[in-house]
């Protein structure tokens, strides 16, 4: 699509009265739509014949996805994960995408997941077991290409982490209320979590991420990567410690915003140290340290 046509199309979308199909998070922003249009165009150009769906996709896109035959490649896109952060403070957000292949008589299978954060970190997980991360502002001095770091385990060891530092997906009051007990401890708690915080867990010194509410697949596309790298996943409500197979199973299939399984990722703690993760889950579930087992 020529640039002038693309921008007219973008303007029409922004001015359209129809809201996003998904009611997750805050109201749709102009930048949500703009980013979705531009990234979708790039993805379809990169993989001709592919389909792009997501929170900013319309019913026509979803209908194409549903009708597409086995073998069709479908991108599930969250062009701005953390719209409120992008719209208010300008950082702490990411662009997330999962590429699926449709399968006859079975849920679509994920092929690759990618997250690019506003702090210029790119991380990707290929479901064959390959994994890589790149600080996009770190270039090879000889080739000028981004430095790609293959990840088999967290870059920082347990001994190097900032003990008690936790990122929580709890900027909104409804989520903050669920983890109120954490704010009454001596933990260092940041209300910034999800995909934008995951590099802090895998590449830096963050001790844990707390997700107090169920998430969509595109909200958390790199959880299989975190599991592959030895992170521990503890269900906040049940205390269950999820296996690698459990985590991968969350990402089987493409879900429409009206589908029952649109948010298959349960409320959980993701931690480097399993005992610390269990302690956090107990504090949240029981309402404080004095009631934790």
């Amino acid at each position: 699509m020529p640039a002038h046509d693309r921008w007219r199309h973008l303007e029409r979308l922004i001015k359209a009265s129809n809201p996003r199909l998904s009611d997750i998070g805050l109201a749709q922003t102009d930048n949500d739509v703009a980013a979705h249009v531009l990234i979708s165009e790039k993805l379809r150009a990169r993989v001709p014949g592919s389909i792009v769906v997501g929170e900013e996709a319309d019913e026509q896109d979803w209908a194409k996805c549903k009708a597409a035959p086995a073998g069709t490649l479908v991108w599930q896109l969250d062009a701005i994960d953390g719209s409120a952060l992008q719209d208010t403070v300008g950082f702490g957000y990411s662009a997330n995408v999962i590429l699926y292949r449709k399968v006859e008589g079975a849920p679509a299978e994920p092929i690759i997941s990618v997250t690019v954060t506003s702090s210029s970190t790119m991380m990707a997980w290929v479901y064959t077991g390959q994994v890589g991360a790149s600080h996009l502002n770190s270039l090879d001095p000889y080739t000028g290409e981004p430095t790609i770091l293959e990840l088999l385990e967290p870059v920082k060891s347990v001994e190097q982490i900032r003990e008690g530092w936790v990122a929580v997906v709890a900027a909104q009051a409804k989520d903050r209320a669920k983890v109120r007990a954490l704010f009454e401890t001596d933990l260092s708690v940041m209300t910034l979590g999800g995909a934008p915080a995951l590099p802090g867990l895998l590449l830096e010194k963050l001790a844990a991420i707390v997700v107090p509410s169920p998430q969509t697949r595109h909200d958390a596309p790199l959880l299989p990567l975190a599991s592959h790298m030895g992170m521990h996943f503890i269900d906040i409500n049940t205390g269950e410690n999820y296996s690698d197979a459990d985590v991968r199973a969350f990402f089987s299939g493409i879900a429409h915003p009206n589908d029952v399984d649109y948010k298959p990722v349960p409320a959980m703690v993701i931690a480097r140290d399993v005992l610390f993760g269990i302690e956090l889950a107990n504090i949240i579930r029981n309402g404080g340290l004095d009631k934790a087992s």
Side-chain angles (χ1 to χ4, degrees):
M1 181 185 294
H4 59 282
D5 290 339
R6 180 175 67 214
W7 287 109
R8 279 202 294 268
H9 174 57
L10 177 58
E11 185 177 33
R12 285 197 300 271
L13 283 175
I14 291 174
K15 293 179 178 178
S17 59
N18 293 330
R20 61 160 51 144
L21 295 176
S22 169
D23 62 356
I24 293 174
L26 299 183
Q28 183 184 69
T29 69
D30 289 356
N31 285 340
D32 285 321
V33 179
H36 180 88
V37 170
L38 295 179
I39 295 174
S40 296
E41 184 177 275
K42 297 288 187 182
L43 293 175
R44 287 192 292 264
R46 186 73 173 179
V47 183
S50 63
I51 298 168
V52 182
V53 295
E55 290 193 358
E56 273 61 56
D58 58 26
E59 286 291 6
Q60 185 177 4
D61 294 323
W62 283 102
K64 289 179 182 178
C65 175
K66 184 177 180 179
T72 301
L73 297 178
V74 180
W75 305 91
Q76 184 145 18
L77 171 66
D78 189 356
I80 301 180
D81 179 22
S83 302
L85 289 165
Q86 189 278 329
D87 198 47
T88 53
V89 295
F91 68 92
Y93 58 95
S94 67
N96 306 331
V97 66
I98 306 174
L99 177 61
Y100 284 92
R101 180 188 292 112
K102 292 201 67 177
V103 178
E104 185 70 35
E109 60 180 8
I111 300 173
I112 186 170
S113 295
V114 178
T115 286
V116 180
T117 73
S118 59
S119 56
S120 299
T121 297
M122 185 275 287
M123 304 185 74
W125 165 251
V126 181
Y127 279 77
T128 56
Q130 301 171 5
V131 56
S134 169
H135 287 284
L136 297 184
N137 56 355
S138 177
L139 302 179
D140 185 295
Y142 299 102
T143 66
E145 296 295 321
T147 301
I148 303 297
L149 176 66
E150 183 178 3
L151 299 177
L152 299 177
E153 57 188 22
V155 172
K156 303 294 191 298
S157 67
V158 172
E159 292 76 18
Q160 293 174 300
I161 68 170
R162 290 186 180 275
E163 185 176 355
W165 282 70
V166 180
V168 185
V169 188
Q172 296 186 61
K174 62 183 180 65
D175 291 317
R176 198 163 57 249
K178 297 177 182 179
V179 294
R180 183 177 291 114
L182 291 181
F183 296 98
E184 298 171 355
T185 69
D186 58 359
L187 297 170
S188 297
V189 181
M190 298 167 283
T191 53
L192 168 65
L198 191 62
L201 192 66
L202 303 182
L203 299 176
E204 305 300 339
K205 299 181 180 181
L206 189 65
I209 294 174
V210 175
V211 184
S213 298
Q215 302 285 296
T216 69
R217 294 168 177 88
H218 57 258
D219 283 328
L222 293 182
L223 292 191
L225 161 58
S227 178
H228 175 80
M229 294 173 65
M231 299 296 107
H232 302 279
F233 294 73
I234 297 93
D235 190 297
I236 290 174
N237 297 313
T238 67
E240 179 180 356
N241 194 339
Y242 291 111
S243 68
D244 186 64
D246 293 331
V247 174
R248 288 183 181 231
F250 297 147
F251 294 86
S252 177
I254 303 167
H256 183 280
N258 292 336
D259 292 346
V260 174
D261 65 340
Y262 190 56
K263 300 181 185 179
V265 181
M268 63 171 67
V269 174
I270 309 164
R272 292 169 178 257
D273 180 81
V274 65
L275 295 180
F276 181 59
I278 291 172
E279 180 183 9
L280 289 176
N282 284 340
I283 292 171
I284 298 167
R285 186 168 59 251
N286 298 308
L289 281 168
D290 57 329
K291 299 179 182 179
S293 58

